[in-house]
């Protein structure tokens, strides 16, 4: 079997994968190369989230010294991350929030990402799913969903997280459901091909 199959993600794996000649690998080796590259990408994503969380913490300290509101500091960080990573402001703000959650409330998810057991999309699914829950609920949900997460698709994991949140805090789940019902709406917008899209929300 390929030597990189069980190798933990990190600089050593990156060097080894970069040295592979694709044409010299059999089908099994090519599949394992793709899987190992995905583990490596997850590890790199954990570094990115960690850097964003550290930047956010530093800006918060600086904001407190300047007497700035937390919302102002959040805007600074989102703008800085958007410029650094070439993201839209909305995408950058979302990434900042996920990074903060991983650092503060989801240590198991953070470790699973760094170990390459889940990818950045799955880590984001967990973070999005527990947002607004208190730390104890987030910890229970994380403990419940993480073991099966590596073998699940994002859609399956999202369903598992929703179920775990509902079971961990049924009252908060019901409040969110009622709030979503109150926000029900129909949206209409133009599509790129000259047609239109119609959607019912909640």
């Amino acid at each position: 079997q390929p030597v990189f199959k069980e190798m933990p993600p990190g600089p050593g794996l990156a060097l080894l994968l970069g040295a592979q000649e694709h044409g010299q690998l059999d089908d099994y080796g090519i599949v394992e190369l793709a899987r190992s590259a995905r583990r490596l990408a997850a590890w790199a994503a954990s570094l990115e989230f960690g850097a964003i969380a550290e930047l956010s913490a530093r800006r918060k300290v600086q904001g407190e010294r300047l007497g700035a509101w937390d919302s102002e500091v959040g805007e600074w960080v989102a703008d800085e991350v958007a410029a650094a990573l070439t993201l839209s402001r909305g995408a950058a703000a979302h990434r900042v929030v996920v990074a903060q959650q991983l650092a503060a409330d989801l240590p198991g998810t953070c470790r699973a990402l760094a170990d390459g057991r889940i990818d950045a999309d799955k880590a984001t699914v967990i973070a999005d799913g527990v947002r607004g829950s208190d730390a104890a609920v987030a910890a229970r949900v994380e403990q419940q969903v993480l073991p099966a997460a590596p073998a699940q698709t994002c859609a399956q994991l999202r369903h598992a997280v929703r179920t775990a949140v509902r079971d961990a805090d049924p009252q908060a789940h019901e409040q969110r459901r009622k709030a979503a019902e109150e926000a029900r709406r129909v949206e209409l917008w133009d599509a790129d091909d000259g047609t239109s899209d119609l959607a019912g929300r909640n």
Side-chain angles (χ1 to χ4, degrees):
Q1 68 182 28
V3 294
F4 48 77
K5 179 183 178 184
E6 302 298 336
M7 194 170 179
L13 180 60
L15 289 172
L16 187 58
L17 295 183
Q20 299 302 309
E21 293 288 345
H22 292 186
Q24 301 300 314
L25 296 171
D26 60 15
D27 290 355
Y28 176 77
I30 283 292
V31 171
E32 290 304 324
L33 176 64
R35 293 181 65 192
S36 297
R38 193 163 186 81
R39 292 203 317 276
L40 188 64
W43 172 76
S46 75
L47 296 180
E48 180 183 318
F49 280 127
I52 292 172
E54 175 64 21
L55 177 67
S56 179
R58 293 183 184 187
R59 294 296 178 263
K60 183 175 181 180
V61 171
Q62 293 167 354
E64 289 172 351
R65 290 174 183 162
L66 295 171
W69 296 97
D70 285 347
S71 59
E72 291 179 293
V73 175
E75 292 175 0
W76 300 345
V77 177
D79 287 341
E80 196 167 357
V81 170
L85 304 184
T86 322
L87 298 172
S88 69
R89 196 170 187 280
H94 181 228
R95 189 153 299 202
V96 170
V97 171
V98 171
Q100 292 170 335
Q101 286 181 271
L102 291 174
D105 299 323
L106 297 169
T109 303
C110 199
R111 284 193 301 272
L113 182 62
D115 291 342
R117 289 182 283 123
I118 62 172
D119 59 23
D121 290 339
K122 291 180 181 180
T124 301
V125 165
I126 295 172
D128 288 346
V130 301
R131 188 167 305 126
S133 302
D134 62 38
V137 170
R140 289 201 297 273
V141 171
E142 181 183 60
Q143 186 176 24
Q144 183 174 333
V145 304
L146 263 184
Q152 292 177 318
T153 65
C154 281
Q156 291 168 332
L157 178 58
R158 190 174 294 109
H159 176 74
V161 171
R162 280 200 303 266
T163 300
V165 170
R166 182 193 63 206
D167 293 345
D169 194 349
Q171 184 175 1
H173 174 78
E174 180 63 15
Q175 289 175 345
R176 284 193 293 270
R177 186 191 65 77
K178 289 181 178 179
E181 283 186 353
E182 293 174 359
R184 285 180 293 190
R185 64 197 183 279
V186 174
E187 297 178 354
L188 174 68
W189 65 94
D190 294 332
D192 293 338
D193 58 6
T195 61
S196 295
D197 291 327
L198 179 68
R201 303 295 185 188
N202 298 324

